[in-house]
Amino acid sequence: MQFEVWAPQAGRVTLECDGVTRRLEQDPERPGWWCGRSEARDGSRYGFAVDNGPVLPDPRSRRQPDGPDGLSAVVDHDRYPWRTPWAGRPLPGGVLYELHVGTFTPGGTLDAAAARLDHLAELGVTHVQLMPLCPFPGRHGWGYEGVSLWAVHEPYGGPEALKRFVDRAHELGLGVVLDVVHNHLGPSGNYLPAFGPYFTDTHHTPWGVAVNLDAPGSDEVRAYLVGSALSWLRDYRLDGLRLDAVHALVDTRACHFLEQLSAAVDALAADLGRPLFLIAESDLNDPRIITPRAEGGLGVHAQWNDDFHHALHTALTGESQGYYADFARDPLAALAKTLTRGYFHDGTWSSFRGRGHGRPLDRARTAAHRLTGYSQTHDQIGNRAQGDRLAALVSPGLAACAATLTLTAPFTPMLFMGEEWAAGTPWQFFTDHTDPELARAVRDGRRREFAAHGWREEDVPDPQDPATRERSCLDWSEPGREPHARVLDWYRRLIALRAREPDLTDPDLADSRVAHDAAARWLAFRRGDIRVAVNLGPGPAAIPLGNRPARVLAAWEPVTGPDPDGLLHLPGESSVVLVQE
C-alpha cells in the first residue's frame, strides 16, 4: 500500500505501520511530499515521525481508533456494501433538521440515531444535518473542537457507523448534510503544525492563529481542506456540507478558498451524477458568498440567515440584549424586512457592531432557497447560560407561530432536533476535555462570561459535568403526550403543506408581500395564493386580508376564513395558513 504525507520543512520522515518502521522518500514530482510503500490492510495502525520526533497520526487519517492522540488506521472505503441506490436530493424545496449525534438519543451513537430516523421521515423533513463528527478528546462534546478532518469520532461509531447511518437515511428518502469546521482545529490532539505550515500568525481568529489560506504553503493547506470536504461527499455519500463560520476563513488571495471549494464540489457533483451543495454559516451579510461563480460570486449554494432568527426571536420573546438590540426596536418591522429582502442588515447601522453592516441582496438574482431560515439552532440555544429552548421562553401558541413563520417563509427552513415537539429538555454547552487545565479554563471562562450578564456562578452548568450532557439528551417519551403531541402534529401539517403547495417553495423572494401592526402584534404575508397570518398578542386580532375568498389550510386554533369585509379574526397567540381561491 502507498503511504504519503506532506511535510515540506522535514529533513527525514519515517512511517511506522503495524510495528514496522520504514523511511519515506521525497516525491520528485511534488515538492514537500514524502511517500513509500508498506504492507497494510483495512485496520492497520500507522503513523509518521518527522525528523526523529514521536510517531504522530496521519493528517489525512481516515480513522483514529484510540482517539486523536493515537495511531491512525487504514480504512478501505470499498469494503462497505452500500444497500441503497441514491440519486441524491437537492437543496431547493428541502427542509433541514439539525441533529447532534451525542444527544439525539441517550445512547449518543450514530447507530442509535439511525434507529430514530423513521421519526424524521414521518415528520416530513428532507435532509438530516449532522453536527461535526471529526474526532476530539473525550467522549462527549459539541464537535467544534475536532481534529483529524477526514475521520469520524470513534465513540460515535467511527466510519462504518456513519455509512450505516447514511444508508438508512437514504433508504428513508432523507439526504444527509455534515457540519464541517475549516476555520480552526481543537486545542487538543492537533498535530498538524508538526508537519507543515497549516496555520499562520498573519491572521487571527476567535480561536487563535488562523488556518493558512493565503501565506506560503497555503496551496497545500487549501488542497487538504478541499480534499477533506470531497472525501465526506464521495466516500460517505453525503449530500451536502454546512461550513462553520466562514467569516473566520481569512483569505486575501484573488481566488477565495470558498470559490475554490465550491468549484471542486460542483465538479464532483457532475462526476458523480447527483446534486451536492454547500451551506455557509456567515455573519457578513455579503450576498457574494451565495452568488454563482459565473456572476462574480463565490458560488456557495446557501447560507444561514441569522437576521431572520434574530427578528423572530425578539418578536416572540422581547429580548433585547447583545445582537438582539438592533432588531428589538421594531421586531415586526425587522421580521417583515427579512421576509421580503432576506437580510435585515443590508448596509444599515448596527448598534451591536458600532458600524454599518451588510449589503443589499439582489432579489432578482438570488433564489430564496439560498437563505436558510430557522427559529432555533444549536448556537442560539446552547450559547444561552442554561441552554433553554424557545419552548421554555414562550407559550405553546407562540412556539407554534414560530413554526408557522419558519416553515412558510421563502427560505429553506431548518429545525433543531426536538423543536418539532417543543422538547422540555434544555440543550446546554458540554465538554469532555481530557486536559485538566483546558477543562478548568473552559469552565471558568464560561462562568465569567455569564457573570458579566448577571448570572450567578452556581446557575451556569459546569460543561465538564456528565450531567450537563445527560440533561441535554432528548426525552423520546415526550412526543407521545401533551402538549408535545399537539406541537408535533402542527409541525407535520406545516411541512406537509410546504411539500404540497408550490407557492411555499417558490424561489422568488421579491414576490413576498408583508403587512403588520406593531401595536396589535400581528403580521401577515402573501406568497402567491397562500396567505399566512400570525397573532403574537394575547387577545384576538382582526387582520385585513382583502376581498378574495380564502380557505383555511391549517390553523393552530379553530378559525374560519375572512368575513365579508375581508377581515380575518385570529385568536391570540395563534397562526393560520390559507389559500385564496
Side-chain angles (χ1 to χ4, degrees):
M1 177 178 173
Q2 180 80 359
F3 289 87
E4 58 184 25
V5 66
W6 181 60
Q9 297 156 349
R12 170 188 170 92
V13 178
T14 56
L15 163 73
E16 181 179 303
C17 183
D18 287 339
V20 177
T21 301
R22 289 179 171 81
R23 183 168 180 170
L24 300 184
E25 302 295 331
Q26 295 189 54
D27 188 331
E29 304 296 327
R30 296 183 298 164
W33 281 87
W34 300 75
C35 55
R37 298 191 65 83
S38 179
E39 292 294 324
R41 64 191 187 285
D42 184 81
S44 289
R45 305 293 181 90
Y46 73 98
F48 300 106
V50 177
D51 293 332
N52 298 315
V55 179
L56 301 174
D58 182 358
R60 287 169 167 77
S61 171
R62 270 66 169 181
R63 187 180 175 202
Q64 290 297 119
D66 302 310
D69 296 314
L71 291 177
S72 301
V74 172
V75 173
D76 180 0
H77 284 298
D78 292 333
R79 291 181 71 247
Y80 182 80
W82 290 97
R83 303 187 315 269
T84 310
W86 185 246
R89 186 146 199 181
L91 181 63
V95 178
L96 302 169
Y97 186 96
E98 189 182 25
L99 183 159
H100 178 263
V101 169
T103 50
F104 187 60
T105 67
T109 66
L110 283 156
D111 285 332
R116 290 287 185 181
L117 286 175
D118 295 78
H119 166 79
L120 301 188
E122 293 167 4
L123 178 62
V125 300
T126 62
H127 295 81
V128 184
Q129 183 173 299
L130 297 172
M131 288 175 62
L133 298 179
C134 291
F136 54 87
R139 179 175 180 82
H140 295 297
W142 280 20
Y144 292 94
E145 299 297 330
V147 295
S148 297
L149 300 188
W150 303 54
V152 179
H153 191 49
E154 204 68 18
Y156 288 165
E160 293 284 299
L162 177 56
K163 291 175 182 177
R164 291 191 294 268
F165 180 95
V166 173
D167 228 354
R168 178 57 178 156
H170 287 172
E171 185 179 31
L172 294 169
L174 298 167
V176 182
V177 182
L178 176 63
D179 193 339
V180 296
V181 184
H182 290 158
N183 50 56
H184 75 290
L185 273 76
S188 296
N190 176 13
Y191 298 105
L192 290 184
F195 289 92
Y198 282 89
F199 302 91
T200 174
D201 57 8
T202 304
H203 311 295
H204 289 269
T205 74
W207 311 283
V209 295
V211 173
N212 178 14
L213 299 176
D214 57 6
S218 58
D219 284 356
E220 290 290 354
V221 178
R222 291 158 76 110
Y224 169 79
L225 296 175
V226 170
S228 166
L230 299 185
S231 174
W232 293 115
L233 297 169
R234 179 186 59 246
D235 298 332
Y236 293 94
R237 297 193 179 184
L238 299 183
D239 299 276
L241 301 174
R242 183 260 191 187
L243 309 176
D244 180 64
V246 301
H247 46 271
L249 296 171
V250 187
D251 182 6
T252 61
R253 292 174 58 164
C255 178
H256 194 279
F257 169 71
L258 290 178
E259 181 179 355
Q260 180 180 347
L261 178 61
S262 70
V265 169
D266 287 347
L268 180 63
D271 184 52
L272 296 177
R274 59 183 174 88
L276 302 171
F277 55 84
L278 299 171
I279 304 172
E281 180 198 16
S282 172
D283 73 352
L284 300 176
N285 283 20
D286 185 351
R288 289 172 292 192
I289 292 175
I290 54 174
T291 297
R293 296 186 305 280
E295 299 175 20
L298 301 184
V300 177
H301 306 93
Q303 71 149 97
W304 278 26
N305 186 11
D306 275 351
D307 281 9
F308 173 76
H309 169 273
H310 297 347
L312 178 56
H313 188 87
T314 56
L316 293 168
T317 67
E319 292 184 359
S320 60
Q321 70 275 17
Y323 45 66
Y324 291 135
D326 290 335
F327 301 84
R329 294 189 186 94
D330 191 344
L332 290 182
L335 187 55
K337 183 175 180 180
T338 64
L339 287 169
T340 54
R341 298 190 174 276
Y343 299 147
F344 173 73
H345 282 305
D346 53 7
T348 56
W349 172 259
S350 168
S351 62
F352 173 69
R353 297 172 178 86
R355 59 170 174 80
H357 185 62
R359 67 187 293 171
L361 193 72
D362 186 343
R363 296 183 296 168
R365 298 170 59 196
T366 306
H369 69 257
R370 291 186 178 273
L371 296 175
T372 301
Y374 36 84
S375 66
Q376 301 176 70
T377 72
H378 75 272
D379 270 332
Q380 302 302 338
I381 300 171
N383 284 329
R384 299 174 69 86
Q386 295 187 324
D388 37 355
R389 294 170 176 266
L390 185 62
L393 306 175
V394 301
S395 68
L398 288 180
C401 288
T404 303
L405 290 167
T406 300
L407 289 164
T408 61
F411 319 123
T412 297
M414 185 183 75
L415 315 179
F416 181 69
M417 62 176 199
E419 166 190 340
E420 71 275 20
W421 72 71
T425 50
W427 201 74
Q428 299 177 333
F429 180 70
F430 52 89
T431 57
D432 188 20
H433 293 302
T434 54
D435 180 344
E437 290 300 318
L438 179 59
R440 185 180 304 110
V442 170
R443 179 191 302 115
D444 294 347
R446 189 164 178 86
R447 287 176 171 168
R448 281 195 305 270
E449 175 188 356
F450 286 104
H453 297 285
W455 288 88
R456 297 184 305 169
E457 181 176 306
E458 59 268 27
D459 291 335
V460 180
D462 177 0
Q464 285 285 117
D465 185 346
T468 305
R469 177 260 168 183
E470 292 164 8
R471 281 192 298 270
S472 301
C473 291
L474 290 178
D475 178 355
W476 283 91
S477 71
E478 287 184 338
R481 60 179 189 268
E482 297 298 348
H484 308 287
R486 183 186 179 195
V487 175
L488 178 58
D489 178 67
W490 182 240
Y491 271 84
R492 285 174 175 161
R493 291 165 66 192
L494 290 171
I495 294 171
L497 268 183
R498 188 175 184 90
R500 189 172 74 237
E501 298 291 337
D503 284 341
L504 291 178
T505 51
D506 184 346
D508 185 1
L509 185 60
D511 187 52
S512 296
R513 297 289 186 273
V514 181
H516 67 279
D517 185 323
R521 289 186 49 75
W522 62 258
L523 179 144
F525 65 93
R526 153 177 94 70
R527 300 190 60 204
D529 290 329
I530 297 294
R531 300 292 185 270
V532 179
V534 296
N535 178 8
L536 307 183
I543 303 173
L545 290 188
N547 294 322
R548 283 180 59 189
R551 174 170 50 89
V552 174
L553 297 176
W556 175 250
E557 297 287 0
V559 64
T560 58
D563 65 19
D565 294 326
L567 290 176
L568 173 71
H569 297 277
L570 189 59
E573 298 186 351
S574 67
S575 54
V576 62
V577 183
L578 311 97
V579 60
Q580 289 191 317
E581 298 173 327

